[in-house]
Amino acid sequence: MAVGKKKAIRDFTQGNPTKELLMFSLPIACTLILQSFYNMADTLIIGNFVGDTAMGAVGTAGTVSSVLLMLVYGLSTGMGVVVSQFIGAKDYKNVKKSMMTAMYIVIGVSLLMTVIGISFSPAILRMMHVEGETLEMAVVYLRIIFAGTIAVAFYNMGNVLSRSLGDSVTPMIVLIITAIMNIALNILFVTVFHMKTDGVAYATVLANIISAISCWTILWRKTEAIHPDAEALKPDKEAAKLILKIGIPATLQSSTMTIGALLIQTMINDFTTPTLPIMAAFAAATKVEQLIAYPPGGVSDGMQTFAGQNVGAGKFDRVGKGLASCFKIIAVYSIFSACVLGFGGRFLMGLFMLCAVLLGPWWGVGVAFVASLLRNLLGLGSLMAFPGSMFGALLCGLVYHKTKNLLATVAGEVFGTSVLGGLCAYPVAIFLMGKSAGDIAFYAYIVPFLISTGVGAVIAGILVFSLQRSGVLRSMQSSLS
């Protein structure tokens, strides 16, 4: 039994802290983005097929439901930290007790929030200065979302418990599938059944229910350490104290930004008129902001599991090392995201060279794919971003891996993006825009790709050269190897 438990649980008390945190946190960041994508998908689809009023209603109601999500998430975090500590101490008896006690707390709070939310949705929205048809649509959406609180709570518990056991990939895969399902249901309910805000709300609740069932089914089947015995089924007072001691501050912390957004949304609503749909514009803008802001949260959440296991094992020195790694990862991401927002995507496509040099060609391709996907979701790029960025990252990564020559790597980035990426963009453009796109392929793809990636590759080359001369590059490579 003990061997089975150990095989199912990832051990953060050994190994390279930076590598462990980075590999563990990336799926968590994706999971956070995908969770926010539910309301984002509701907002975009309802805005395109119904109108600005419905879009503003879903955006405003989504801000309120985010407070609910943060409340449940904070309490689940309390459970996750406590469970991580007991896992680090190899105390599986208390792992089960903590899990079951947390489940009782979260279920109780979820039911309370469901009753309060359904009863007071109109009053909450009026306090936010939502009026008229927007109020009616927002109330319908919010009540349905509140009715599905228990599904959100169970998914978040499964998500946090899975992370405590060292598995951040399973919740991400589950959410990828259900996010696609949510979009499909949104389109079905709105375009085929001609529903409005109620349609996208029902789609979200159904997707949440499937997420919760899937996540817990996978957890139960692969991890014997969480199977409760008769003793663990009883609520444990000491476990409850530990969970609330961490969960309540975590809830307040996670809710601070959301409540701030709620207050700003209230002020924004006062400026909205039928001819000036500021509410809808703000709803769209906040979704963009969330995509950028969530990845550091994924690293912080990963650090909670890392620290919990090492505290439980008494390895406090590794906690400090993990915290330093956490700061480094967030600092690098913050600089990168600031550059993307400040200078735009095309001129920085060459910076994928840095990722390919540090992590290898296939990681470079993966990062290029995700960045191109985000650019398309944010309306900052087209489908042509995929072949350009991915071929450039692949070729420069392969060249650096074989030659370790920086000039050849820069040339590989430029050739891969402009020539190979431009040529691959050609059939994509013909498929999307017809044969007439072929007449301008050279000028529309290869030349612009050459100019944009040239600037980015030179910037990246200077950066990598500086890191190489200072010895930092070798240190970063060894810490990630």
Side-chain angles (χ1 to χ4, degrees):
M1 182 71 73
V3 173
K5 290 174 184 174
K6 289 179 182 177
K7 282 184 178 178
I9 297 172
R10 185 173 185 170
D11 189 358
F12 286 104
T13 61
Q14 51 190 333
N16 184 291
T18 302
K19 183 180 179 181
E20 292 290 331
L21 266 176
L22 192 60
M23 299 300 103
F24 184 63
S25 299
L26 282 173
I28 299 176
C30 291
T31 301
L32 291 173
I33 291 172
L34 286 167
Q35 276 194 302
S36 71
F37 191 70
Y38 274 39
N39 182 254
M40 186 185 302
D42 294 351
T43 303
L44 293 176
I45 290 170
I46 204 76
N48 282 324
F49 292 104
V50 181
D52 289 338
T53 300
M55 182 178 178
V58 172
T60 301
T63 307
V64 178
S65 64
S66 294
V67 177
L68 163 70
L69 179 63
M70 290 299 105
L71 176 63
V72 173
Y73 193 76
L75 290 173
S76 299
T77 298
M79 174 203 70
V81 172
V82 172
V83 168
S84 296
Q85 290 179 356
F86 286 131
I87 286 173
K90 305 295 187 289
D91 185 353
Y92 297 107
K93 180 179 178 181
N94 276 314
V95 166
K96 298 174 183 179
K97 282 186 178 181
S98 301
M99 181 193 74
M100 292 308 302
T101 301
M103 187 175 292
Y104 298 140
I105 293 171
V106 172
I107 289 173
V109 171
S110 299
L111 292 175
L112 180 63
M113 292 301 298
T114 299
V115 173
I116 293 173
I118 292 174
S119 303
F120 295 100
S121 286
I124 294 169
L125 291 166
R126 287 193 188 98
M127 286 173 61
M128 296 176 63
H129 307 163
V130 183
E131 300 173 346
E133 187 182 4
T134 304
L135 175 63
E136 294 175 9
M137 289 183 172
V139 167
V140 170
Y141 179 87
L142 200 53
R143 279 178 165 165
I144 296 170
I145 294 296
F146 272 118
T149 301
I150 194 70
V152 176
F154 264 99
Y155 170 75
N156 273 290
M157 276 198 66
N159 177 14
V160 172
L161 183 60
S162 183
R163 292 204 318 250
S164 301
L165 299 168
D167 179 11
S168 59
V169 175
T170 297
M172 180 188 70
I173 293 173
V174 168
L175 218 57
I176 288 172
I177 296 169
T178 53
I180 295 170
M181 185 183 303
N182 179 43
I183 294 172
L185 289 173
N186 277 338
I187 295 172
L188 175 68
F189 290 161
V190 172
T191 62
V192 178
F193 298 150
H194 304 292
M195 300 170 76
K196 296 182 179 179
T197 54
D198 55 339
V200 292
Y202 283 128
T204 297
V205 170
L206 283 172
N208 281 328
I209 291 171
I210 294 169
S211 295
I213 293 172
S214 302
C215 195
W216 275 99
T217 300
I218 294 169
L219 265 174
W220 189 265
R221 287 182 175 178
K222 76 174 188 178
T223 314
E224 293 183 23
I226 66 168
H227 292 187
D229 49 28
E231 185 181 357
L233 289 173
K234 300 175 184 176
D236 188 88
K237 186 182 293 185
E238 293 304 316
K241 286 179 181 178
L242 285 173
I243 292 165
L244 293 174
K245 184 179 178 180
I246 298 170
I248 291 175
T251 300
L252 295 174
Q253 179 186 358
S254 59
S255 299
T256 301
M257 292 294 290
T258 310
I259 292 172
L262 196 68
L263 296 174
I264 294 172
Q265 179 78 64
T266 302
M267 291 185 286
I268 289 293
N269 293 345
D270 284 334
F271 294 98
T272 298
T273 66
T275 56
L276 193 63
I278 296 177
M279 188 186 298
F282 181 76
T286 52
K287 306 311 171 192
V288 175
E289 181 189 10
Q290 286 173 356
L291 283 177
I292 300 297
Y294 275 131
V299 179
S300 300
D301 288 350
M303 183 60 199
Q304 289 173 1
T305 302
F306 183 92
Q309 286 197 18
N310 282 286
V311 167
K315 296 185 177 182
F316 297 99
D317 58 322
R318 278 183 63 82
V319 177
K321 291 178 181 177
L323 187 60
S325 299
C326 184
F327 280 133
K328 290 177 186 176
I329 295 168
I330 291 176
V332 170
Y333 171 80
S334 299
I335 294 170
F336 174 76
S337 60
C339 289
V340 170
L341 289 175
F343 301 106
R346 275 193 180 179
F347 287 96
L348 289 167
M349 295 310 276
L351 289 180
F352 294 125
M353 182 175 73
L354 179 61
C355 181
V357 167
L358 285 174
L359 299 173
W362 300 113
W363 274 101
V365 171
V367 171
F369 173 82
V370 172
S372 298
L373 179 62
L374 288 175
R375 288 182 64 204
N376 276 267
L377 289 173
L378 298 176
L380 301 175
S382 68
L383 292 175
M384 311 308 160
F386 287 96
S389 63
M390 292 169 69
F391 272 101
L394 175 62
L395 189 58
C396 79
L398 290 173
V399 169
Y400 183 83
H401 180 71
K402 294 293 183 183
T403 68
K404 298 293 189 275
N405 184 293
L406 190 55
L407 189 61
T409 303
V410 172
E413 165 68 28
V414 174
F415 183 81
T417 299
S418 60
V419 179
L420 297 181
L423 290 174
C424 286
Y426 171 71
V428 176
I430 288 183
F431 175 75
L432 294 174
M433 295 179 280
K435 292 184 179 179
S436 59
D439 298 333
I440 59 168
F442 179 79
Y443 301 101
Y445 310 123
I446 295 179
V447 173
F449 282 9
L450 177 63
I451 296 170
S452 62
T453 195
V455 176
V458 169
I459 295 172
I462 294 171
L463 177 60
V464 173
F465 178 73
S466 301
L467 293 173
Q468 195 175 55
R469 286 290 299 271
S470 63
V472 174
L473 181 64
R474 180 175 296 178
S475 175
M476 293 172 71
Q477 288 173 325
S478 62
S479 68
L480 292 170
S481 63

